[in-house]
Amino acid sequence: MVSRVWSLMRFLIKGTVAGGVVYLVYDQQLLGPSDKSHAALQKAEEVVPPAMYQFSQYVCEQTGLKIPQLPAPPKFNFNIRESWNSGIITVMSALSVAPSKACEYTKEGWEYLKERIK
């Protein structure tokens, strides 16, 4: 009986987290234009580190543990839009060439087999 209740609780917790993530993605329009996604990433980079620090301080006060201070994360000059676009272009070009390459490789395979059988 306890295992069923625990399984139900795990399911509800996971469902709540997944629902929250879907709502957050929809609310912040992360799957929309890349400008809005980039702005959301910038906002997260500004908000998350102080929030994590405050949470760690709270945990230290409540538990009496001392958590060592972590070094600041490195700053990256990385343009997400450029890398996303180049990745999409690479994937789409590979998909557009795939049928002709498959046909070419099939012909080469048959020729190889014919030579080996002779």
Side-chain angles (χ1 to χ4, degrees), residues 3-117:
S3 65
R4 288 184 181 176
V5 171
W6 180 243
S7 294
L8 178 63
M9 289 299 294
R10 285 180 41 205
F11 176 74
L12 290 175
I13 291 169
K14 289 179 182 181
T16 303
V17 169
V21 167
V22 169
Y23 174 76
L24 180 68
V25 167
Y26 175 76
D27 185 52
Q28 297 294 321
Q29 298 178 349
L30 296 179
L31 298 178
S34 61
D35 294 335
K36 291 186 179 183
S37 301
H38 184 68
L41 179 64
Q42 293 292 337
K43 183 179 175 184
E45 287 177 348
E46 295 170 1
V47 173
V48 170
M52 290 300 294
Y53 178 74
Q54 288 176 352
F55 179 72
S56 67
Q57 293 300 315
Y58 174 76
V59 169
C60 288
E61 290 173 7
Q62 295 298 318
T63 61
L65 296 174
K66 295 200 179 211
I67 300 175
Q69 183 68 22
L70 294 175
K75 298 285 184 187
F76 294 109
N77 189 8
F78 183 70
N79 191 349
I80 292 175
R81 175 185 277 178
E82 293 299 321
S83 63
W84 172 261
N85 289 342
S86 66
I88 294 296
I89 290 169
T90 303
V91 168
M92 290 302 149
S93 67
L95 288 175
S96 68
V97 175
S100 60
K101 285 289 186 182
C103 184
E104 179 183 327
Y105 292 149
T106 303
K107 287 179 183 176
E108 289 177 9
W110 278 113
E111 292 298 323
Y112 176 77
L113 285 175
K114 286 179 184 176
E115 289 175 11
R116 297 294 286 179
I117 292 174

